[in-house]
Amino acid sequence: QVKMSRPVQARRLEGIDKNIWVEFVKLAATYSKVNLGQGFPDFPAPDFLQEAFTRALGGNHMLHQYTRAFGHPPLVKVLAQFFEKLLGRDLDPMTNVMVTVGAYQALFCCFQALVDEGDEVIIIEPFFDCYEPMVKMAGGTPVFVPLRPNPPKDGKLMSSADWQLDPAELASKFSERTKAIVLNSPNNPLGKVFSRGELGLIAELCVKHDVLCISDEVYEWLVYNGKQHIRIASLQGMWDRTVIIGSAGKTFSATGWKVGWAVGPDRLLQHLRTVHQNSVYHCATIAQEAVAQGFQRELMLYGKPDSYFVQLPKELQQKRDWLVQSLDAVGMKPIVPEGTYFLVADISQFKSDVPDVPNSDEPYDYRFAKWMVKNKGLAAIPLSAFYSEAHKNNYTNFIRFCFAKEEATLKAANDILQKWKQEKTSS
Ligand code: PMP
């Protein structure tokens, strides 16, 4: 082994080396018969999108070369048109939109561009796990505020809407050190779609304390039961301080394409462009071209029954309802999500199934998820992975499932659960 007198690892990587996905993706690959763990569809991307990609592949040979660094012109143009409609304001495709390698890179650009050493960034728990290491890598300090569950008293199933911010607690996290808040609505993992009232409260605090909002809206089209996704950038005083982040992967069920975007005022986006031009610089041209064509189609069909953005949530709502029923039938209490393709279920009634591991400080939800994939072949993700170290021990009775799956996959999951239930009742 090579001996070096100096540490190899940069200080900014301290404490951020663990990643839930590395471990659980491997477990799922090794043991799972049905994988409802990681969040991506196992059904095909829509035909019109696949056809657009094929056309781009065999068409103009320049689509095999670099395109404009901050976004392929047809894509930024159609995104600007689309968001003009959604936000009710004029947008300049060249300065108000930037294309990124998935929403992931848009997030990374935000933190690198906007967060300084010593800045605090408020993160609402549970949260998409990359926010925390990304804030830390930028030298910032994450400040966590949890959504608090209020179980309904009438014995009904809990909904993601029953998880709410405590307004006083949220307000107490804002100070002169606060640079930004990360909002993720619809929220991964809970599926919570923040209400106008909740967004209004966050907006008011942002304006009062001159705080930026990094608004991760990758699940913007996945809302159920006629619920409306409200964009915080459309609230009073928020456009100038918000970066909206989106993902073609989620929007068009093509997560492997890794096309994402940031939309916002030039005063913020100009700094994201600096990070982008000094790191990734270009994103795959063909994928951008195909996504542009997908958006052109959706712009034409906007709000019509044939629109993918209308059809996809309809199909997913049915899948959500199947999974809710399957889980409820075996006693894993589902928290019915208002949006996203995730569902969190309460596993507190299964403690006797999972053998105790002596001298282990591994939380119950981790032990449960590992035991379930090894013994039942069903993969899911422990919810405490979506919490900060300080708070995760309060939320170890839940696991997260993804229901963006083929009917056959969900049926197979149901079979596993039914068999499990029979074994439980006969033992
Ligand atoms: N934000 C959230 C909330 C997500 O769930 C994901 C993907 N799981 C991303 C961002 C990253 O999206 P992309 O695949 O486009 O990078």
Side-chain angles (χ1 to χ4, degrees):
Q1 216 182 351
V2 188
K3 272 223 178 91
M4 291 179 84
S5 54
R6 296 190 285 183
V8 177
Q9 177 196 284
R11 274 195 304 277
R12 77 178 73 85
L13 301 190
E14 262 162 39
I16 63 164
D17 53 332
K18 281 215 185 66
N19 178 302
I20 169 85
W21 306 107
V22 176
E23 183 180 15
F24 275 85
V25 166
K26 195 166 152 204
L27 276 169
T30 314
Y31 297 106
S32 78
K33 294 190 196 82
V34 179
N35 187 355
L36 304 187
Q38 222 186 337
F40 58 80
D42 70 347
F43 48 78
D47 287 344
F48 67 85
L49 196 78
Q50 296 191 44
E51 284 156 17
F53 197 98
T54 313
R55 267 199 310 277
L57 200 59
N60 178 359
H61 70 272
M62 289 311 286
L63 292 175
H64 291 268
Q65 305 305 328
Y66 293 137
T67 181
R68 178 174 167 270
F70 305 118
H72 188 48
L75 181 54
V76 289
K77 279 180 197 153
V78 73
L79 280 170
Q81 279 179 293
F82 216 98
F83 276 89
E84 280 181 350
K85 222 178 171 72
L86 299 174
L87 297 168
R89 70 163 52 241
D90 288 342
L91 297 178
D92 175 353
M94 299 302 154
T95 59
N96 295 135
V97 183
M98 184 174 87
V99 177
T100 54
V101 180
Y104 227 93
Q105 193 222 336
L107 287 162
F108 188 76
C109 286
C110 280
F111 294 119
Q112 288 295 318
L114 307 173
V115 175
D116 247 326
E117 301 274 334
D119 285 346
E120 292 185 357
V121 177
I122 298 174
I123 297 176
I124 300 167
E125 293 175 307
F127 60 92
F128 181 48
D129 59 298
C130 73
Y131 303 154
E132 181 179 4
M134 283 194 192
V135 168
K136 287 182 173 161
M137 253 194 286
T141 306
V143 172
F144 299 99
V145 58
L147 289 162
R148 300 204 175 267
N150 307 292
K153 305 228 158 30
D154 51 11
K156 271 204 280 195
L157 287 178
M158 207 184 212
S159 146
S160 57
D162 296 321
W163 290 59
Q164 291 175 356
L165 290 165
D166 175 335
E169 187 178 22
L170 177 66
S172 76
K173 305 293 177 187
F174 283 76
S175 74
E176 68 276 15
R177 289 182 303 278
T178 314
K179 183 68 186 284
I181 181 167
V182 186
L183 172 70
N184 173 214
S185 181
N187 162 278
N188 173 12
L190 275 177
K192 178 182 174 67
V193 180
F194 284 67
S195 70
R196 191 174 286 281
E198 292 170 311
L199 295 173
L201 177 71
I202 295 169
E204 212 174 279
L205 288 163
C206 285
V207 171
K208 181 173 166 198
H209 296 273
D210 192 20
V211 164
L212 303 175
C213 180
I214 299 167
S215 185
D216 180 342
E217 304 183 27
V218 300
Y219 300 105
E220 60 192 323
W221 300 107
L222 305 183
V223 286
Y224 308 124
N225 300 103
K227 182 114 194 167
Q228 203 199 345
H229 167 59
I230 298 166
R231 292 172 176 78
I232 195 163
S234 67
L235 270 54
Q236 187 72 34
M238 287 307 286
W239 165 256
D240 285 320
R241 55 180 72 253
T242 302
V243 180
I244 302 170
I245 291 172
S247 164
K250 309 294 173 178
T251 302
F252 290 115
S253 310
T255 57
W257 290 20
K258 290 296 291 184
V259 175
W261 53 84
V263 172
D266 190 36
R267 77 167 192 122
L268 301 181
L269 255 60
Q270 70 178 108
H271 305 300
L272 272 64
R273 291 196 292 272
T274 306
V275 179
H276 184 75
Q277 80 198 8
N278 290 305
S279 52
V280 166
Y281 205 63
H282 284 102
C283 310
T285 310
I286 287 190
Q288 292 190 67
E289 170 71 20
V291 170
Q293 292 189 22
F295 268 105
Q296 278 151 14
R297 175 191 187 270
E298 287 303 302
L299 195 58
M300 227 159 56
L301 294 175
Y302 185 73
K304 302 215 171 87
D306 284 345
S307 156
Y308 191 66
F309 299 169
V310 172
Q311 283 179 350
L312 180 64
K314 252 198 204 152
E315 279 167 33
L316 284 171
Q317 182 172 324
Q318 191 176 40
K319 291 174 196 283
R320 174 197 70 169
D321 293 342
W322 285 339
L323 187 59
V324 164
Q325 275 175 14
S326 302
L327 293 171
D328 192 33
V330 298
M332 273 191 220
K333 287 193 253 82
I335 299 162
V336 182
E338 308 153 270
T340 75
Y341 42 52
F342 300 112
L343 187 160
V344 171
D346 184 328
I347 48 167
S348 50
Q349 290 181 13
F350 287 75
K351 291 216 162 108
S352 57
D353 286 75
V354 185
D356 249 337
V357 185
N359 304 322
S360 156
D361 54 4
E362 195 169 39
Y364 166 61
D365 59 344
Y366 274 72
R367 281 192 287 123
F368 181 90
K370 287 181 184 175
W371 175 86
M372 184 168 77
V373 72
K374 286 181 187 166
N375 291 277
K376 305 293 174 187
L378 182 60
I381 304 288
L383 187 72
S384 63
F386 300 89
Y387 281 87
S388 61
E389 212 44 53
H391 295 162
K392 58 165 47 95
N393 286 331
N394 303 333
Y395 298 92
T396 59
N397 280 333
F398 304 94
I399 52 171
R400 191 202 74 174
F401 296 93
C402 170
F403 56 84
K405 303 294 170 192
E406 302 262 25
E407 221 175 297
T409 312
L410 293 168
K411 284 220 165 79
N414 184 54
D415 290 346
I416 290 176
L417 292 165
Q418 290 301 331
K419 189 158 158 251
W420 187 350
K421 184 188 172 194
Q422 279 160 17
E423 285 162 10
K424 264 172 94 77
T425 44
S426 63
S427 69

